[in-house]
Amino acid sequence: MGSYLLRRLMIALPSLLGISVVLFTVLALAPGDPFEELATNPNVPPEVRMALRAQFGLDDPVWQRYFHWLTSMLRGDWGFSFVSRIDVDTLIMQRLPVTIAIVGSALVLALLVALPVGVLAAVRPYSWFDRIASTLAFVGFSLPTFFTGLLFILLFSIKFDWLPFVFRSDISATGLAWWGEHIRQSIMPVSVLGLALAASWMRYLRSSVLDVVRLDYVTTARSKGLSERVVIVKHAVRNALIPVVTLVALQLPQLFGGAIVTEQIFRIPGVGSLLIDAILRNDTPVIMAVTFVLSALVILFNLMADVVYGWLDPRISYR
C-alpha cells in the first residue's frame, strides 16, 4: 500500500503542474485589469499605478510570471489579494471553515439519505417505495441548486417564516443559543446541496445493488441459511459500493462547485462567494489559488477512492 500511494503521488505531481500551467495561462490571457479602478480614479497618479503593476509583475511575460508564482507557492506564499489587500492564504483561511462546515454537513446528509433509500429501493424493486423514491430522485437531480435554493427561500423563509435565508457570521449569541442559530441558518443550504447529491447517488446505488443481488455468490449465501439482512449488508451492498465510490469521488469536487452557487443564494461568506467576488473584480491571485485547490481536490479524492476500493474488495492488489 505504501509503495502504491507513493507511485500515485508521483503521478499526481505532473498532473498538478499541468493543471497549474493551464489555469495560470488562461487567467493571464483573460481580458481585464485588476488596477482598472485606479486608472479611472483621478486622485491616483499614473506613476503610482505603473509602480504597482511593476511591483506585482503584471507587465512581465506570462512564463516569467508563472515561474514566479510557482516558486512562491512552493515556499508557501499564495500571493497577495489586489482587492482585499491581504495575503491570499489568510483570506482563504478566513472563509474556509464556513465552506467546510456546509459541504461536510451536505455530504453526511447525502450519505444518510442515499444509502438506506437506494438499498431498500433495490431490495424491493418496482414496489411503491421504489417508485416514489425514484420519482423524487429524478426530480431532485433534474432541478439545479439555484432553483431549489430559491424555492426553499420562498417556502420556508417568506411563506412560513421558519428559517432565515441570509447567513450571518456575526451572531451575538453564545453557548447553545449560538449553535442553535447557526444550525437554523444552515438547514436550507445544507439541504439544497445534500439532497441534490443524494438523488444522484441513490439511483446509482439502486442500479448497482440490483446487479449484485442477481449474482451467484449472493444466491449461495442465501442457500447457506444466512439471514436476508446479512446477505444484503455484508455480501451485496459491500460489493455494490465499489462502482459507487468512483461516482462519489468524482462528484465531491462538484459539491464544492455547487457550494459556490449556494453560497451566493444564501449570502454565505465562504470560499465560493470569495471566488465569485474575485472573478468580478479580476483578483487573479485569489482566483488562481481557489481554482488550483479545487483541482487538487479532484486528484486527492480519486486517490482516496482507490484506497477505499481495497477496503471494500480484498481481491484488489496494489502492485
Side-chain angles (χ1 to χ4, degrees):
M1 176 65 74
S3 60
Y4 172 77
L5 292 177
L6 182 61
R7 290 198 307 270
R8 287 298 305 268
L9 289 175
M10 295 301 295
I11 296 174
L13 292 178
S15 301
L16 288 175
L17 185 64
I19 291 172
S20 66
V21 170
V22 173
L23 287 175
F24 193 92
T25 304
V26 171
L27 291 176
L29 298 178
D33 188 351
F35 297 113
E36 184 177 358
E37 296 182 2
L38 297 180
T40 58
N41 190 344
N43 297 322
V44 179
E47 56 270 16
V48 174
R49 177 172 173 267
M50 298 302 295
L52 288 173
R53 293 184 62 87
Q55 178 182 352
F56 292 105
L58 296 180
D59 295 325
D60 296 336
V62 175
W63 66 268
Q64 187 174 346
R65 291 161 57 188
Y66 170 75
F67 279 108
H68 176 73
W69 173 86
L70 181 61
T71 53
S72 299
M73 284 287 290
L74 293 177
R75 295 195 307 267
D77 182 9
W78 289 29
F80 186 80
S81 173
F82 299 146
V83 177
S84 302
R85 304 293 191 266
I86 61 176
D87 293 335
V88 174
D89 53 351
T90 303
L91 189 61
I92 292 178
M93 291 307 297
Q94 291 175 352
R95 305 289 193 97
L96 190 60
V98 178
T99 300
I100 291 179
I102 297 296
V103 171
S105 301
L107 175 62
V108 172
L109 176 63
L111 291 175
L112 291 178
V113 173
L115 287 177
V117 174
V119 172
L120 288 176
V123 172
R124 303 173 183 176
Y126 311 111
S127 62
W128 281 108
F129 178 83
D130 181 28
R131 293 175 183 177
I132 294 174
S134 298
T135 302
L136 293 177
F138 279 122
V139 173
F141 64 73
S142 298
L143 297 178
T145 54
F146 70 85
F147 179 82
T148 54
L150 295 176
L151 186 64
F152 276 35
I153 290 175
L154 290 174
L155 185 61
F156 298 111
S157 295
I158 297 177
K159 184 175 179 58
F160 296 109
D161 195 20
W162 290 346
L163 301 171
F165 65 89
V166 176
F167 194 97
R168 293 177 50 206
S169 58
D170 56 346
I171 297 176
S172 58
T174 58
L176 293 177
W178 184 87
W179 284 102
E181 288 297 323
H182 269 284
I183 292 174
R184 285 186 69 246
Q185 66 181 2
S186 301
I187 289 176
M188 286 198 295
V190 168
S191 300
V192 168
L193 287 174
L195 294 179
L197 274 181
S200 175
W201 293 354
M202 190 278 289
R203 288 295 304 170
Y204 204 88
L205 181 61
R206 175 187 179 275
S207 300
S208 183
V209 173
L210 279 176
D211 292 337
V212 170
V213 294
R214 298 188 181 99
L215 297 180
D216 293 338
Y217 75 90
V218 178
T219 304
T220 303
R222 287 196 179 99
S223 65
K224 291 180 178 180
L226 298 177
S227 64
E228 187 67 16
R229 179 178 176 275
V230 173
V231 171
I232 296 299
V233 174
K234 186 175 181 180
H235 296 275
V237 174
R238 182 167 181 173
N239 290 278
L241 284 176
I242 295 177
V244 178
V245 168
T246 303
L247 178 69
V248 173
L250 293 177
Q251 286 192 345
L252 281 180
Q254 296 180 13
L255 183 59
F256 285 88
I260 295 175
V261 179
T262 306
E263 288 179 2
Q264 286 295 104
I265 295 174
F266 295 100
R267 298 295 185 266
I268 300 174
V271 177
S273 59
L274 174 65
L275 177 60
I276 296 297
D277 185 65
I279 292 173
L280 295 177
R281 299 189 179 191
N282 293 315
D283 198 352
T284 308
V286 177
I287 301 173
M288 186 65 196
V290 175
T291 51
F292 182 74
V293 169
L294 293 179
S295 302
L297 286 177
V298 176
I299 297 177
L300 175 63
F301 288 137
N302 277 276
L303 177 60
M304 293 173 59
D306 291 340
V307 174
V308 175
Y309 289 159
W311 175 72
L312 292 173
D313 191 352
R315 296 172 300 176
I316 296 177
S317 176
Y318 295 107
R319 297 179 181 176

